[in-house]
Amino acid sequence: MIIGVTAESALGEQRVALVPSVVPTLTKLGVDVVVQSGAGVAAGFPDDTYIEQGALIAANRDDLLGSADIIARVRAPGSDSTADQFRTGQVVVGLLDPLGSTEAVQSLARSGVTSFALELLPRITRAQSMDVLSSQATVAGYKSVIKAANMLNRMYPLMMTAAGTITPAHVLVVGAGVAGLQAIATARRLGSVVQAYDVRPASREQVESLGARFAELELETADAEGADGYAEALGDDFYRKQGELMAKLVSDSDVVITTAAVPGAKAPILISTDAVRGMRPGSVIIDLAAETGGNCELTSPGETIETYGVTIVGTVQLATEVPHDASQMYARNVAAFLTNLIDDGRVNLNLEDEIIRGTLLTHDGEIVAERVRVTLGLTTTESESG
Ligand code: NAD
């Protein structure tokens, strides 16, 4: 059996799904790893580094797709023609954007592949080593602070010099999940004064343990955390009130990093146009929630804009801007996933396994993931039908 790695086709994507160091882990499972020539170059992994670890190189995408039984991707094939070239029965693993891109999911189903969307991994202890959302959020959280530093017209740390004292920059982080906590830690290391807020009460202790101040907002958040550990959707009135209460914090900050997301729903708008207008000229907002619309009313997903003197970065897939480490982490996640999927050199589609069942997106020409079927209106939920 062959695991194939194609070069990524999404615009600006620099990561690669498998890196050389995971090749031996996979070959030990009794499979061959074949990499499309040049697939790892943008992430700092030229072909010979794969060969040294026992992988083979395919000259081009057609050769690779023709021979691979499993195809490891970072991003969904999307609008390129790769999905049309998949063979019935081939297995595809990656970030397939199951709840975002209807057309891409339908084309995967049409092509007859058995696809696994890693965004759908259940957040159970056994799946932690496969958790691509966490690993990529870690990188994005770090990079958001560095990106803001590059754009900001001030420095982060306090400096007492012969030329006078420079006061530290103030950073506000909204949403203290995986990305937010990493942003807080990075901003603290660079010497800024950090405040953060999250609706999940459990996050306070984590924020404070990183040396940041937890913002006090008069909001009732006892029910904000669902049984799965994620934030629940709290309603427009709540978000409006939160936005009003945060406006002063926003205007007092030089950098605002927003990561507040609600799984399966549009990101809440927490920073209004008025709040942006209250910021000092030269301030920066990095909106990591842009992928699901953004936490700032003015965010334009995928774009950087400047308005009222404030730079607003509507970044999507920021981890791709640190492609080497992001790929290493992603590849280890994928290798752990494949190790669970492959048994005795073959794919074992064991639907009793919560991880395999939870991530299975398409099979035998159908979209099978329940959450995706409900979103696309292919199935009614139990509460609707009962
Ligand atoms: P996420 O990307 O869905 O959301 C980011 C953060 O935004 C979350 O902390 C959320 O509470 C917060 N948020 C949502 N609405 C908000 C609002 N209105 N105002 C302020 N903040 C808001 O979540 P994530 O970062 O992937 O993880 C969320 C939680 O799940 C964390 O506690 C994390 O440690 C946990 N987690 C558990 C596992 C596991 O058990 N395997 C894996 C990963 C993450």
Side-chain angles (χ1 to χ4, degrees):
M1 197 171 72
I2 292 176
I3 300 175
V5 183
T6 48
E8 293 293 313
S9 45
L11 194 65
E13 182 53 70
Q14 303 184 74
R15 290 168 291 180
V16 60
L18 294 177
V19 301
S21 64
V22 303
V23 172
T25 311
L26 297 170
T27 49
K28 267 187 222 133
L29 302 173
V31 300
D32 287 328
V33 176
V34 181
V35 181
Q36 180 183 336
S37 181
V41 169
F45 303 106
D47 290 354
D48 54 0
T49 60
Y50 286 95
I51 295 168
E52 279 163 18
Q53 297 296 329
L56 302 166
I57 302 295
N60 55 49
R61 195 174 60 161
D62 290 351
D63 284 359
L64 184 106
L65 292 175
S67 63
D69 302 287
I70 299 178
I71 295 157
R73 306 266 313 182
V74 178
R75 308 270 293 275
S79 55
D80 76 16
S81 58
T82 310
D84 301 333
Q85 293 173 276
F86 290 148
R87 289 194 315 273
T88 300
Q90 229 163 8
V91 172
V92 179
V93 177
L95 284 168
L96 304 179
D97 198 12
L99 297 166
S101 169
T102 311
E103 173 45 38
V105 175
Q106 282 165 340
S107 85
L108 280 171
R110 269 198 310 275
S111 67
V113 295
T114 298
S115 62
F116 294 96
L118 296 175
E119 295 96 328
L120 300 176
L121 266 175
R123 283 194 147 173
I124 55 175
T125 309
R126 195 163 63 86
Q128 270 180 7
S129 60
M130 313 172 194
D131 189 349
V132 291
L133 290 185
S134 287
S135 71
Q136 303 307 290
T138 300
V139 179
Y142 161 84
K143 186 67 177 179
S144 65
V145 175
I146 307 297
K147 207 173 173 70
N150 277 335
M151 294 174 153
L152 191 63
N153 58 5
R154 336 179 22 162
M155 297 187 279
Y156 277 126
L158 168 78
M159 286 194 196
M160 291 159 113
T161 75
T165 298
I166 299 290
T167 56
H170 283 71
V171 176
L172 172 67
V173 176
V174 183
V178 179
L181 290 173
Q182 198 53 238
I184 294 168
T186 307
R188 288 284 302 140
R189 274 182 220 124
L190 289 171
S192 60
V193 174
V194 185
Q195 281 206 69
Y197 181 73
D198 195 299
V199 286
R200 287 179 304 105
S203 63
R204 171 190 287 267
E205 206 182 313
Q206 292 167 317
V207 167
E208 289 175 345
S209 73
L210 292 169
R213 206 167 82 80
F214 192 83
E216 302 295 344
L217 303 184
E218 284 198 17
L219 289 165
E220 182 45 64
T221 56
D223 299 329
E225 185 162 339
D228 54 7
Y230 284 112
E232 298 276 13
L234 295 166
D236 289 343
D237 286 347
F238 180 96
Y239 296 136
R240 201 170 308 116
K241 185 160 181 220
Q242 184 184 348
E244 284 165 16
L245 293 172
M246 282 192 341
K248 170 95 170 72
L249 294 180
V250 170
S251 63
D252 286 347
S253 301
D254 303 293
V255 171
V256 179
I257 291 170
T258 57
T259 75
V262 179
K266 207 180 152 303
I269 299 284
L270 302 171
I271 299 182
S272 65
T273 303
D274 275 351
V276 174
R277 277 169 51 184
M279 294 179 83
R280 281 184 288 274
S283 303
V284 178
I285 297 175
I286 308 274
D287 195 343
L288 290 181
E291 191 117 11
T292 50
N295 291 139
C296 175
E297 193 174 6
L298 295 171
T299 293
S300 176
E303 286 178 352
T304 297
I305 59 165
E306 206 189 310
T307 180
Y308 306 114
V310 178
T311 304
I312 305 174
V313 184
T315 179
V316 287
Q317 299 284 341
L318 185 56
T320 198
E321 294 185 23
V322 194
H324 193 78
D325 288 337
S327 300
Q328 305 235 47
M329 294 166 92
Y330 186 88
R332 280 184 210 130
N333 295 145
V334 171
F337 181 83
L338 292 174
T339 302
N340 182 58
L341 180 69
I342 295 171
D343 190 16
D344 209 9
R346 309 168 71 96
V347 170
N348 180 13
L349 197 63
N350 172 16
L351 296 180
E352 305 278 296
D353 182 320
E354 201 180 344
I355 292 173
I356 296 175
R357 190 178 62 246
T359 49
L360 186 62
L361 176 61
T362 65
H363 183 56
D364 272 347
E366 302 280 343
I367 298 170
V368 292
E370 193 56 23
R371 253 169 79 193
V372 180
R373 290 183 65 83
V374 170
T375 307
L376 297 180
L378 301 171
T379 310
T380 49
T381 59
E382 262 175 45
S383 56
E384 280 169 338
S385 59

